[in-house]
Amino acid sequence: MTDRLPHEKGFHVSWDQLHRDARALAWRLDGKGPDDGAWRAVVGITRGGLVPAMIVSRELDIRVVDTISVKSYSHQDQREAKVTKFPQAELMGDGEGILIVDDLVDTGKTLELVRQMYPKAHFATVYAKPKGNPLVDTYITEVSQDTWIFFPWDMALQYVQPYRGTD
Ligand SMILES: O=P(O)(O)OC[C@H]1O[C@H](OP(=O)(O)OP(=O)(O)O)[C@H](O)[C@@H]1O
Ligand SMILES: Nc1nc2[nH]cnc2c(=O)[nH]1
Ligand SMILES: [Mg+2]
C-alpha cells in the first residue's frame, strides 16, 4: 500500500526502536509454542516481516526460517492480496507450531489470506492497527487506524530547517 494521503498521522520507527520492539515480541512468544513450548519454525511474510522474523529467530534460537511472499494489489479502492511464493509444504502442515511474523497488521487482508492456509499457526506482528487486530495472536504496540507507520528501511536521515527559521 503506497496510498499515504488519507493518514492523518505518521509514526516514524527507527532501527533501534524496531529492534527493541521485535525483541519484546520474541520474549513474549518465548515458550508459548504447542506441547513443550517450542516453536518448530519462524516464517516471515515478505518483505516487511523479514527483519522482525530474523530478530525473533535469533532471540528464541529457532534455526528453521522460511518465507511466504504476499503481494497486495489495489484496484477500485479495494485491496487484494495474492501469494507469490509459498513456504515449504512439508514444514508447514496446517501451521501447528509455526510462528508467522509480519511487521504490522493494518486492514488484516494479508493475515486473513495466510491464516486461511495455515489455520493452526501463531500470527505475530510488531505493530497492529485496530481493524487488523482480531487477526493477530500477539503484537507489541497498537497504532491508530489513521496513522501511517514509516519503517527504517523506507527512510533516510536528512536536513530539517530549525524551528525558528533564518531568512
Ligand atoms: O493488514 P494489511 O492491510 O494487509 O497490511 C499489512 C501489510 O502491508 C505491508 O506489506 P506490503 O503488502 O505493503 O508489502 P511489503 O511488506 O513488501 O512492503 C505490511 O508489511 C504488511 O505485510
Ligand atoms: N509502511 C507501511 N506499510 C503499510 N501497509 C499497510 N499499512 C502500512 C503502514 O502503516 N505502513
Ligand atoms: Mg508486508
Side-chain angles (χ1 to χ4, degrees):
M1 202 200 221
T2 49
D3 184 10
R4 295 166 193 195
L5 289 176
H7 295 85
E8 295 241 321
K9 301 167 213 151
F11 180 65
H12 298 82
V13 183
S14 67
W15 282 111
D16 183 57
Q17 187 64 50
L18 182 76
H19 196 180
R20 285 168 195 271
D21 290 341
R23 273 193 163 143
L25 181 65
W27 300 341
R28 196 164 290 178
L29 293 164
D30 188 25
K32 302 278 169 59
D35 303 330
D36 58 352
W39 297 103
R40 290 197 294 119
V42 174
V43 172
I45 303 180
T46 68
R47 293 161 300 177
L50 298 185
V51 170
M54 181 273 159
I55 295 166
V56 168
S57 70
R58 182 206 180 252
E59 288 302 307
L60 302 186
D61 193 27
I62 304 167
R63 301 296 174 135
V64 180
V65 181
D66 206 337
T67 59
I68 178 165
S69 301
V70 178
K71 175 105 181 68
S72 336
Y73 304 85
S74 308
H75 60 91
Q76 287 160 8
D77 274 357
Q78 284 283 98
R79 264 190 86 229
E80 266 181 45
K82 210 182 142 198
V83 176
T84 56
K85 182 262 169 196
F86 292 86
Q88 211 179 25
E90 314 84 80
L91 170 71
M92 297 302 288
D94 59 6
E96 176 98 19
I98 305 285
L99 202 47
I100 301 186
V101 177
D102 208 349
D103 51 358
L104 75 109
V105 61
D106 186 328
T107 63
K109 277 252 159 23
T110 304
L111 291 194
E112 202 175 25
L113 177 70
V114 182
R115 242 182 204 286
Q116 280 168 13
M117 293 185 294
Y118 311 111
K120 294 213 171 147
H122 189 102
F123 289 82
T125 65
V126 186
Y127 306 107
K129 298 190 194 178
K131 252 194 208 169
N133 199 320
L135 286 146
V136 67
D137 300 304
T138 306
Y139 66 89
I140 294 300
T141 302
E142 178 153 335
V143 174
S144 67
Q145 203 66 43
D146 59 356
T147 296
W148 185 262
I149 303 169
F150 291 91
F151 287 102
W153 46 84
D154 287 328
M155 295 187 290
L157 285 177
Q158 67 170 39
Y159 176 80
V160 284
Q161 290 286 353
Y163 180 65
R164 187 182 272 272
T166 47
D167 301 321

